[in-house]
Amino acid sequence: MTRYALGRLATALPILALISLFTFWAADSITNPTALIAVNPRITAADRAAYVEALGLDLPFWQRYFAWLGNFVTGDLGTSLVQNGAEVWPMLRTALANTLVLLVVAVTASLLIGIAVGTLGAVRRGSLLDYAATTTSFFGLSIPVFWLGLMLQLFFGLYFANWLGVTPPLLPTAGLYSPGQVGFDLVDRARHLALPAMALSLQLVAAYSRYMRSSLLDALGAEYVRTAYAKGLSERAVVLRHGVRNALIPVTTLAALDIGLLVGGLIVTERVFQYPGMGTLFFDAIHAGDYAVLLPVVMLVSGGVFVMSFAADLLYGVLDPRIRRGTG
């Protein structure tokens, strides 16, 4: 396992280096940190030249790239190019913490519900429950996130609140805390988290339930399952001990990749609910041409995908002993 881990690490480092290079090149080509001051009539050409020199934007591409890479590897993320020299790390840390809270809540709920629904659909194949779950899954996969978010805001923020006659609504439609809130309030935080978590969870539940149903149907038709039935094991024992455990392997892969990608933020969900996470930070950095913020976000997403895919590989050995022994 140690040799395998070192091999994966040796493969990942060159890939991450290439990602950083192409991301730096793309950001350098399509963004312009001086665009805002260029249209300011009070900024003279000399002031603009001094600003460009202070940011190091007058240096050759390779010199700027290796300077950034060296700082990044040593943990120095530098300062924002457009936010008056604000340090990147505090901005990144706050946005990442907010996104991880949303991600943990949404993915955990989605896995529990999706695995349960997919298992019931496979075990009761062709039943009314199976048809209902399949229809709901397709419905969930087909709904655009921005539309679902708007509908949730209208229902819980307007109609449901009017029906109950409460002001403000039970589930706030935007932000992290209620206006005027001072300090951490778990209940208020959970209320603000509910709607974006719902919007994210619907599509995840739909995907996980479909994968689980399909994978479990394949597992239940395998020879080792027929052997387990021949030994006299109950249906419950066969499904849970042999079927579900092996069916979780593709779901584990999907969930791990989802988590790695979603660490980078949920641009649509966060914009709809005005949630200050990684997606919002990424969008604002592109809009402002601030590649000093954009690059660490992209590298964090790339590293997150690698870490989660590696964790999924390790979980395979737990779920299927044949993989651990190298016989599968």
Side-chain angles (χ1 to χ4, degrees), residues 21-90:
L21 174 60
F22 283 111
T23 303
F24 191 93
W25 170 78
D28 183 67
S29 301
I30 66 176
T31 62
N32 183 10
T34 66
L36 293 178
I37 66 171
V39 297
N40 189 336
R42 294 177 297 178
I43 302 296
T44 65
D47 292 334
R48 184 176 183 274
Y51 180 76
V52 170
E53 184 179 357
L55 295 179
L57 299 177
D58 58 333
L59 299 176
F61 170 82
W62 289 106
Q63 189 172 346
R64 286 186 286 119
Y65 169 70
F66 282 114
W68 172 84
L69 183 62
N71 291 333
F72 179 81
V73 171
T74 57
D76 181 9
L77 301 186
T79 58
S80 170
L81 300 181
V82 299
Q83 297 190 34
N84 297 322
E87 292 188 6
V88 173
W89 169 239

Side-chain angles (χ1 to χ4, degrees), residues 91-138:
M91 301 163 55
L92 189 66
R93 179 181 57 200
T94 301
L96 179 60
N98 292 336
T99 292
L100 287 178
V101 171
L102 175 58
L103 184 61
V104 168
V105 172
V107 172
T108 301
S110 301
L111 281 173
L112 293 176
I113 298 174
I115 290 173
V117 171
T119 300
L120 291 175
V123 173
R124 301 290 181 259
R125 182 181 183 183
S127 65
L128 181 61
L129 175 63
D130 184 29
Y131 285 126
T134 300
T135 302
T136 304
S137 297
F138 283 123

Side-chain angles (χ1 to χ4, degrees), residues 59-318:
L59 299 176
F61 170 82
W62 289 106
Q63 189 172 346
R64 286 186 286 119
Y65 169 70
F66 282 114
W68 172 84
L69 183 62
N71 291 333
F72 179 81
V73 171
T74 57
D76 181 9
L77 301 186
T79 58
S80 170
L81 300 181
V82 299
Q83 297 190 34
N84 297 322
E87 292 188 6
V88 173
W89 169 239
M91 301 163 55
L92 189 66
R93 179 181 57 200
T94 301
L96 179 60
N98 292 336
T99 292
L100 287 178
V101 171
L102 175 58
L103 184 61
V104 168
V105 172
V107 172
T108 301
S110 301
L111 281 173
L112 293 176
I113 298 174
I115 290 173
V117 171
T119 300
L120 291 175
V123 173
R124 301 290 181 259
R125 182 181 183 183
S127 65
L128 181 61
L129 175 63
D130 184 29
Y131 285 126
T134 300
T135 302
T136 304
S137 297
F138 283 123
F139 179 72
L141 290 172
S142 303
I143 296 179
V145 176
F146 72 89
W147 183 87
L148 176 61
L150 293 175
M151 292 303 102
L152 289 174
Q153 287 179 325
L154 282 174
F155 180 76
F156 288 100
L158 181 61
Y159 301 125
F160 193 60
N162 289 338
W163 293 339
L164 296 179
V166 295
T167 304
L170 294 177
L171 298 180
T173 59
L176 288 178
Y177 293 104
S178 299
Q181 174 66 37
V182 178
F184 179 75
D185 186 329
L186 180 60
V187 175
D188 189 52
R189 184 74 170 85
R191 290 173 59 240
H192 282 77
L193 191 64
L195 292 186
M198 286 184 194
L200 176 59
S201 296
L202 181 61
Q203 288 194 332
L204 293 179
V205 168
Y208 295 157
S209 63
R210 296 303 301 160
Y211 268 80
M212 187 65 192
R213 179 184 182 276
S214 177
S215 181
L216 184 55
L217 286 175
D218 291 340
L220 293 178
E223 292 184 3
Y224 61 83
V225 171
R226 291 194 291 269
T227 301
Y229 275 119
K231 290 181 178 180
L233 295 178
S234 65
E235 181 181 11
R236 178 185 178 89
V238 172
V239 170
L240 295 179
R241 191 182 307 171
H242 299 282
V244 170
R245 184 170 182 175
N246 288 278
L248 283 174
I249 293 178
V251 179
T252 300
T253 302
L254 179 63
L257 293 177
D258 281 345
I259 294 172
L261 290 171
L262 294 178
V263 163
L266 315 144
I267 295 178
V268 176
T269 303
E270 292 181 4
R271 298 299 289 184
V272 169
F273 293 99
Q274 299 176 32
Y275 190 87
M278 292 287 286
T280 299
L281 185 65
F282 179 81
F283 182 85
D284 291 341
I286 290 182
H287 181 72
D290 193 353
Y291 64 76
V293 176
L294 177 63
L295 289 169
V297 172
V298 174
M299 294 304 297
L300 184 62
V301 175
S302 303
V305 172
F306 165 73
V307 170
M308 294 311 301
S309 63
F310 178 67
D313 289 343
L314 296 181
L315 283 175
Y316 294 162
V318 177

